[in-house]
Amino acid sequence: MRLIFLGAPGTGKGTQASVLAERYHIPQISTGDILRKAVAEGTELGQKAKAIMESGGLVSDDIIIALIEQRLTEDDCKNGYILDGFPRTIKQAEDLDRMLADKNGIDAVIYFDVSEDEIVKRLTSRRTCTQCGYNHNMIYDPPVDGDKCAKCGGTVIQRDDDKEETVRNRLLVYADKTAPLVDYYKNRNKLYVIDGAQDVQKVRQDIVDLYQKLSKV
Ligand code: AMP
């Protein structure tokens, strides 16, 4: 199953993608995670991406497409994958269609529907583990002993791009560049909407139900 998780930042895509990936043994491919790793390692890609990510803008389509094109050739992608945070522009979606032209394309796009107020609340209270990447939430899933990850004990920080000003900019960029993908996939009969404002277990159940329904088709 080749899936896209689509939605604004902070709608729960990454959290749910990691759960589903583990359950069905398919990789979660997060362009944000790949870029953050490159920044942390100081690679050429990381150096190009760092300032753009800090401002909440989008890394250029050419860079992202090359990165995905390479990643999808890896062995673990043979039985499918979840794309998390890609595509983010119409150009990326068109290029993905081109890459998958001989493979029947994407099976489904799961769109996480959450209001803007809720997103700002979630993102500004998010704290991320620098070691394992697990996202805590200061309101309902706080780190332990102030700043220690509840999963691995690593240090938990606020991502620079989760600060309120950058969050607002990321949402503007989302509305301008990424939101048009909802109609793009709706017009191709690929779009399935999930109410991402529900609690995390209910969202997970809705996605598992949908996955099972889709895999029977
Ligand atoms: P994320 O973790 O998905 O919110 O991504 C963090 C940041 O990485 C974004 O704000 C962008 O700067 C960059 N990024 C991630 N995925 C993409 C993409 N598909 N296209 C362009 N930029 C991206």
Side-chain angles (χ1 to χ4, degrees), residues 38-117:
V39 171
E41 289 171 352
T43 64
E44 197 188 326
L45 169 65
Q47 285 167 20
K48 280 188 197 151
K50 189 170 189 286
I52 301 169
M53 292 173 76
E54 276 166 7
S55 72
L58 291 185
V59 174
S60 83
D61 287 335
D62 290 350
I63 291 181
I64 296 286
I65 288 158
L67 189 154
I68 282 285
E69 193 145 28
Q70 193 282 326
R71 180 67 184 85
L72 296 188
T73 63
E74 288 179 27
D75 251 16
D76 62 342
C77 292
K78 283 207 178 89
N79 296 323
Y81 39 78
I82 302 169
L83 296 175
D84 160 20
F86 174 89
R88 253 180 160 98
T89 63
I90 294 279
K91 168 90 170 84
Q92 292 178 15
E94 287 171 347
D95 278 22
L96 179 65
D97 285 347
R98 176 185 55 73
M99 281 178 230
L100 300 178
D102 58 348
K103 296 195 177 76
N104 273 335
I106 281 289
D107 294 291
V109 178
I110 299 181
Y111 170 59
F112 288 66
D113 192 16
V114 181
S115 74
E116 184 169 328
D117 281 353

Side-chain angles (χ1 to χ4, degrees), residues 1-216:
M1 187 88 77
R2 286 184 285 272
L3 300 175
I4 292 173
F5 279 16
L6 177 65
T11 49
K13 303 184 302 290
T15 304
Q16 299 294 345
S18 72
V19 173
L20 203 72
E22 200 171 311
R23 181 164 177 156
Y24 293 104
H25 312 291
I26 51 174
Q28 166 192 12
I29 301 178
S30 157
T31 40
D33 284 350
I34 298 172
L35 292 169
R36 272 185 291 282
K37 186 160 174 273
V39 171
E41 289 171 352
T43 64
E44 197 188 326
L45 169 65
Q47 285 167 20
K48 280 188 197 151
K50 189 170 189 286
I52 301 169
M53 292 173 76
E54 276 166 7
S55 72
L58 291 185
V59 174
S60 83
D61 287 335
D62 290 350
I63 291 181
I64 296 286
I65 288 158
L67 189 154
I68 282 285
E69 193 145 28
Q70 193 282 326
R71 180 67 184 85
L72 296 188
T73 63
E74 288 179 27
D75 251 16
D76 62 342
C77 292
K78 283 207 178 89
N79 296 323
Y81 39 78
I82 302 169
L83 296 175
D84 160 20
F86 174 89
R88 253 180 160 98
T89 63
I90 294 279
K91 168 90 170 84
Q92 292 178 15
E94 287 171 347
D95 278 22
L96 179 65
D97 285 347
R98 176 185 55 73
M99 281 178 230
L100 300 178
D102 58 348
K103 296 195 177 76
N104 273 335
I106 281 289
D107 294 291
V109 178
I110 299 181
Y111 170 59
F112 288 66
D113 192 16
V114 181
S115 74
E116 184 169 328
D117 281 353
E118 176 67 18
I119 292 172
V120 173
K121 201 167 87 193
R122 282 187 191 181
L123 283 180
T124 52
S125 59
R126 179 160 84 175
R127 298 292 182 278
T128 306
C129 176
T130 50
Q131 203 162 297
C132 73
Y134 181 75
N135 285 322
H136 294 74
N137 180 290
M138 293 309 278
I139 302 161
Y140 56 80
D141 182 17
V144 287
D145 295 339
D147 67 347
K148 293 287 168 275
C149 177
K151 301 280 170 196
C152 76
T155 303
V156 169
I157 55 153
Q158 181 174 44
R159 276 169 47 175
D160 281 338
D161 60 352
D162 281 345
K163 300 193 169 134
E164 179 150 358
E165 200 185 302
T166 313
V167 164
R168 298 268 175 210
N169 191 33
R170 287 163 74 197
L171 289 174
L172 287 175
V173 170
Y174 172 81
D176 184 31
K177 306 276 191 222
T178 311
L181 292 178
V182 173
D183 278 345
Y184 181 92
Y185 288 114
K186 199 189 278 173
N187 293 338
R188 286 159 179 75
N189 291 324
K190 301 272 185 197
L191 196 81
Y192 297 84
V193 181
I194 292 279
D195 177 2
Q198 307 174 98
D199 80 75
V200 61
Q201 311 294 352
K202 179 73 176 75
V203 175
R204 178 167 69 194
Q205 193 54 51
D206 283 1
I207 293 172
V208 168
D209 291 349
L210 177 62
Y211 186 92
Q212 287 175 349
K213 196 176 98 191
L214 290 167
S215 44
K216 286 189 197 119

